[in-house]
Amino acid sequence: MSDFTATIAAPGRRQIHIRRGRLTCVSGPDAGTSWVVDRDVTVIGSLADSGVTLRDTTVSRRHAEVVRMKDGVVLRDCGSTNGTFVGDVRVREVFLTPETRFRVGKTHLVFTPADEVIEITPSESERLDRMVGRSVAMREVFGIFERVAPTDLTVLVTGETGTGKELAARAVHNLSKRKRNAFRVFDCGAAPETLIESELFGHEKGSFTGAVQNREGVFEAASGGTIFLDEIGELPLDLQPKLLRVLEQREVRRVGSGRVRPVDVRVVAATNRDLREEVKAGRFREDLYYRLAVVEVKLPALRERLVDLGLLVEHLLRRASHNPGVVGLSNEVLDLFEAYHWPGNVRELNNVIERAIPFTDGTRITLEALPEALKHPDGRRSPTRGAAGGLLSDAKHLRDIPLKDAKEKLVDAFERDYLVELLERNDGNVSKAAREADMDRKSITRLLKKHGIR
């Protein structure tokens, strides 16, 4: 947890400590007005969209800014015409202490800390947007999001692959004041490294081979709304300072352009890596981590919330577009699900449910409808049943399915079983597995995500 926001654990009690501030105008045309400082960067100026908009004609359009840093809150002059003063001293950058009084143009402002301690209590609801869970662990997550979503605080969602980090990001957006504006997703681990900067910040025509027209990046596209930076731990080290600058300045410069464009976005990032360890190893910038982890929320793995299995299965069955009337699991399947490790978490559960529906006779999923990899998690199989063989032996289930669909089911089952065994042979090391399969690491990562395995 960053120095901006801290999670405090005590016996039977957890809290989030949100570091905020308040600026109060004590002289000038806006005397008596105050503003809450809860963004990473709050601009003070005469522009209408400034965080602190002043009517003083001696104040520049973008006069100064209040920036939350790792070590405190900084007041920074933005090259204003009439300067920023603390007392009689003109300053370019200074840390703000409680009750610091400063002047921009002819207007005097006072900074006051307005920290907020939020008690983390489990939500009374078992649903939050498209997320479901009745376990204490999930309802506690819901409780955090219910309190944090209405703010503009940057959120870092952590947890294993398949735990629902994108759903969490969408919930934060849909519960915020930005919900009617854009929600944009950028997967830092999926885009080619040479195109990440262009995808994030945009480019100008002719700035590189293939740039045949001007193009806005996802930050511009998300302006006014929320940007979800998935797999942020995969962002190349040389691009991290550029992202940090956007988060601090709230402006982007397209590739090949000298012009900066302001962006008003709320950032939610996600990773399945331990970013603290990545920082220690020198693979992730510490200042960027602190900028992202203003509020850090870890989603529990499915094996840590097995009490939610029944509710999740009902939810996934209702969402399945091709469900002819399956409403639940047989007792044998429920026992199997509760004993299974679920390495792919909720995503894997969803894939298993969707794969089982076409092979279910009646209203409840039985063992016969499950993939062999799930029924034999230790890797052992009957000599007559393999990934494709298991499905072919259930040929009666395929007779009413068009050839194309039946083929897709067979290929999907083969891919999944192949990948599970491949990872087992390589002790879960994706790079080693990719080399053995003669595949690009990103290609195998996409397949693992597709099948909900990692």
Side-chain angles (χ1 to χ4, degrees):
M1 196 62 60
S2 76
D3 287 350
F4 307 144
T5 305
T7 297
I8 306 165
R13 177 168 165 245
R14 292 182 65 212
Q15 300 172 329
I16 289 182
H17 186 186
I18 299 178
R19 302 190 185 283
R20 288 174 166 164
R22 181 175 294 277
L23 289 177
T24 303
C25 181
V26 294
S27 73
D30 298 287
T33 305
S34 65
W35 301 263
V36 173
V37 179
D38 63 357
R39 297 187 178 189
D40 294 340
V41 180
T42 300
V43 176
I44 303 170
S46 60
L47 284 174
D49 60 351
S50 298
V52 176
T53 302
L54 300 174
R55 292 175 289 173
D56 184 348
T57 57
T58 65
V59 170
S60 298
R61 290 162 60 83
R62 186 185 177 101
H63 195 107
E65 58 190 16
V66 176
V67 184
R68 294 188 303 183
M69 307 291 285
K70 175 187 174 184
D71 299 319
V73 180
V74 170
L75 172 67
R76 181 184 294 156
D77 186 79
C78 296
S80 63
T81 301
N82 295 314
T84 300
F85 292 81
V86 175
D88 295 326
V89 180
R90 184 167 182 167
V91 299
R92 294 183 63 183
E93 187 171 292
V94 64
F95 278 100
L96 292 176
T97 56
E99 307 306 321
T100 299
R101 180 167 175 155
F102 61 93
R103 176 167 58 87
V104 293
K106 294 181 180 179
T107 294
H108 287 82
L109 299 164
V110 172
F111 172 77
T112 307
D115 293 4
E116 181 181 1
V117 176
I118 297 176
E119 296 283 346
I120 302 176
T121 56
S123 172
E124 295 181 0
S125 175
E126 295 181 350
R127 297 178 184 274
L128 187 77
D129 200 47
R130 292 173 58 191
M131 305 175 73
V132 299
R134 60 170 57 101
S135 62
V136 173
M138 281 306 294
R139 290 191 295 110
E140 192 171 81
V141 167
F142 295 168
I144 296 173
F145 286 151
E146 287 169 352
R147 298 298 300 271
V148 169
T151 73
D152 263 331
L153 294 172
T154 302
V155 178
L156 176 65
V157 185
T158 65
E160 296 179 8
T161 296
T163 48
K165 295 188 285 294
E166 183 172 340
L167 288 181
R170 288 185 181 275
V172 169
H173 173 73
N174 291 336
L175 292 171
S176 77
K177 59 189 176 184
R178 298 173 178 268
K179 62 183 178 182
R180 291 183 176 86
N181 298 324
F183 178 84
R184 293 288 185 268
V185 179
F186 182 78
D187 189 335
C188 300
E193 192 168 324
T194 54
L195 295 179
I196 291 178
E197 184 175 2
S198 169
E199 293 288 330
L200 282 173
F201 311 131
H203 64 253
E204 295 293 297
K205 180 180 179 180
S207 56
F208 55 86
T209 302
V212 295
Q213 60 184 6
N214 296 340
R215 184 173 182 272
E216 68 177 11
V218 289
F219 267 94
E220 285 184 75
S223 195
T226 303
I227 183 170
F228 174 50
L229 300 175
D230 198 9
E231 304 295 352
I232 190 66
E234 304 287 338
L235 188 69
L237 194 58
D238 62 325
L239 289 178
Q240 292 177 22
K242 296 180 180 180
L243 175 59
L244 178 64
R245 183 182 182 280
V246 173
L247 296 180
E248 289 183 343
Q249 302 297 326
R250 298 296 169 172
E251 59 188 25
V252 297
R253 180 181 285 110
R254 293 180 180 179
V255 177
S257 173
R259 174 188 165 197
V260 295
R261 293 173 168 82
V263 290
D264 172 24
V265 295
R266 202 262 183 85
V267 176
V268 181
T271 182
N272 57 11
R273 296 189 180 190
D274 185 336
L275 288 190
R276 295 179 183 84
E277 292 300 318
E278 295 295 299
V279 168
K280 289 179 183 177
R283 292 187 293 266
F284 202 85
R285 289 179 62 108
E286 183 179 29
D287 46 6
L288 178 57
Y289 168 68
Y290 282 120
R291 184 63 64 201
L292 292 168
V294 177
V295 176
E296 185 173 349
V297 182
K298 182 177 181 181
L299 299 183
L302 180 55
R303 60 185 171 277
E304 297 168 350
R305 48 179 292 219
L306 291 176
V307 68
D308 292 335
L309 260 176
L311 187 65
L312 279 167
V313 169
E314 291 175 9
H315 176 69
L316 296 173
L317 286 170
R318 279 196 299 267
R319 280 182 48 199
S321 58
H322 60 288
N323 186 354
V326 181
V327 298
L329 310 175
S330 69
N331 290 334
E332 294 82 5
V333 171
L334 181 58
D335 290 342
L336 177 63
F337 279 13
E338 290 178 344
Y340 185 57
H341 188 64
W342 295 110
N345 292 293
V346 180
R347 183 185 293 122
E348 182 181 9
L349 175 63
N350 184 52
N351 289 346
V352 168
I353 294 295
E354 290 195 345
R355 183 266 184 222
I357 288 173
F359 304 100
T360 297
D361 294 323
T363 60
R364 296 194 175 273
I365 295 173
T366 60
L367 290 174
E368 289 72 24
L370 299 181
E372 289 297 307
L374 191 67
K375 288 187 280 187
H376 303 279
D378 58 357
R380 294 188 299 270
R381 285 171 174 76
S382 164
T384 61
R385 295 173 68 90
L391 280 174
L392 287 174
S393 67
D394 291 330
K396 61 184 174 64
H397 294 296
L398 298 175
R399 290 170 185 162
D400 298 327
I401 301 176
L403 176 62
K404 179 183 176 183
D405 294 341
K407 181 179 178 182
E408 287 179 358
K409 296 292 181 185
L410 290 169
V411 171
D412 283 348
F414 169 76
E415 281 184 353
R416 190 185 188 285
D417 280 15
Y418 179 90
L419 292 168
V420 167
E421 292 186 356
L422 183 67
L423 279 179
E424 287 175 353
R425 288 197 303 273
N426 289 279
D427 300 318
N429 188 307
V430 177
S431 296
K432 287 172 61 179
R435 286 193 294 271
E436 180 181 327
D438 194 22
M439 295 175 65
D440 176 78
R441 189 184 189 280
K442 287 191 175 180
S443 296
I444 201 168
T445 299
R446 282 193 289 270
L447 279 176
L448 291 171
K449 183 174 287 190
K450 169 187 170 183
H451 293 287
I453 298 170
R454 293 286 302 267

